[in-house]
Amino acid sequence: MVRQRQLEYSEIQAAMLDEAKRRRKAAKIIAVLEHFRGPLKGLTVGDVGCSAGFIADELAKAGAARTLGVDIDVPGLRRAASRFGERVGFVCGDGTALPFPDGSIDVLVFNHIYEHVVDPDAVVAEMRRVLADDGVLYLGLGNRLGVMEPHYKLPFLSYLPPALADRYVRAFGRADHYYERFRTRRGLRRMLRAFHVWDYTLPVLATPDAFAGGELFPGVAGRLARAVLSRAPRPLLRALLPLVPTYIWVATKTPSRPRGPALPQPPERVRPL
């Protein structure tokens, strides 16, 4: 089967319209960006794959001078423009041909999008084109080796070749086809090879309160998990990274370093391929 673009994605995945959850994700994104480069005040910020616009709206409210949302999800964009159009400029556009000049965007967000697009390498190259030389790209990246597939909640779904994955989702009545294509950590490193990348996955897991992610580990069990993660030897945590379901990376075109305060598990450079 030839891979197709997933149009009207907000009509397929109800999670895209879960406002509270999307705004919590936005708070985490903003906290990571501000730890890396400082406040968003006065910057031009773009959300690639913005759908219904909740994250873009939070980026605007965080102080961005200009906020732009781009997607091919027409129903989602209509909802976004009707609610947030006074604060955010929404554009129907393909990620492989972003309607922005070279070097014109200070901060880009690309959160859990790459697995849905036909040519993620082309989208990454296009984001690099429009990003300012001192700009920052936030990446939320699903891992193919994460056991539970996040969209259809079926274990090991992303491990399967396309034909078997299609049969799997049909057998459980979740979809007609499985369009998503995840990559392993190594594949993601290759996809971002033109960037300088910092990994915020362990900092967010070990100190979720610092990144507006307190709901990641609720209750007594959560406090115990945070304590273990914040004190575990870094070599042990590194060994587990290939199986972590989601990576949180920050990428830049030129060498840069996080500006935020020290953390029990600090961000770490991702070794390029």
Side-chain angles (χ1 to χ4, degrees):
M1 183 186 70
V2 177
R3 195 170 182 206
Q4 300 176 5
R5 300 195 304 172
Q6 290 182 285
L7 303 170
E8 302 185 353
Y9 190 68
S10 62
E11 303 292 289
I12 301 169
Q13 286 286 345
M16 301 304 294
L17 302 179
D18 185 337
E19 182 167 350
K21 185 175 181 180
R22 300 297 290 173
R23 290 191 184 276
R24 287 197 299 271
K25 285 182 181 292
K28 179 179 68 177
I29 290 167
I30 292 165
V32 169
L33 286 168
E34 291 186 339
H35 185 274
F36 187 84
R37 68 149 298 155
L40 302 183
K41 186 175 180 179
L43 301 179
T44 298
V45 179
D47 182 11
V48 179
C50 66
S51 193
F54 301 120
I55 290 175
D57 183 53
E58 289 293 329
L59 293 167
K61 288 161 65 176
R66 186 184 184 203
T67 306
L68 303 161
V70 183
D71 210 312
I72 57 172
D73 177 3
V74 173
L77 287 172
R78 287 197 187 107
R79 290 189 181 93
S82 68
R83 289 193 61 185
F84 315 123
E86 292 184 1
R87 287 191 291 270
V88 180
F90 292 102
V91 181
C92 184
D94 192 318
T96 61
L98 294 172
F100 311 130
D102 295 0
S104 60
I105 310 294
D106 299 305
V107 174
L108 281 171
V109 172
F110 193 56
N111 186 52
H112 293 285
I113 302 298
Y114 89 89
E115 69 269 21
H116 302 290
V117 303
V118 175
D119 189 350
D121 296 288
V123 177
V124 168
E126 184 69 352
M127 290 192 296
R128 191 178 191 282
R129 178 188 68 79
V130 304
L131 195 66
D133 287 342
D134 62 347
V136 174
L137 168 61
Y138 174 97
L139 298 141
L141 302 166
N143 176 14
R144 184 179 181 185
L145 299 183
V147 172
M148 185 62 71
E149 203 282 342
H151 305 95
Y152 301 99
K153 310 302 182 186
L154 294 171
F156 302 108
L157 174 59
S158 57
Y159 284 53
L160 299 176
L164 287 178
D166 286 347
R167 292 179 186 177
Y168 192 9
V169 294
R170 283 198 294 267
F172 283 84
R174 304 294 170 84
D176 292 328
H177 297 285
Y178 182 58
Y179 290 103
E180 288 73 13
R181 297 290 183 270
F182 287 96
R183 301 187 182 190
T184 63
R185 183 176 176 88
R186 183 175 179 82
L188 294 169
R189 286 167 57 202
R190 186 177 297 112
M191 185 173 76
L192 274 298
R193 63 188 176 275
F195 285 88
H196 303 268
V197 181
W198 286 83
D199 193 338
Y200 269 79
T201 308
L202 294 179
V204 170
L205 290 174
T207 50
D209 292 339
F211 295 101
E215 80 282 354
L216 290 173
F217 298 114
V220 175
R223 289 195 294 273
L224 178 61
R226 290 196 296 271
V228 170
L229 285 167
S230 64
R231 293 175 174 82
R234 196 61 178 244
L236 173 62
L237 294 176
R238 280 197 206 103
L240 297 174
L241 277 174
L243 297 177
V244 169
T246 298
Y247 301 119
I248 299 169
W249 289 358
V250 171
T252 59
K253 292 170 67 171
T254 56
S256 187
R257 298 185 64 84
R259 300 178 186 176
L263 298 164
Q265 295 289 354
E268 194 167 64
R269 277 291 308 273
V270 175
R271 184 168 56 88
L273 285 176

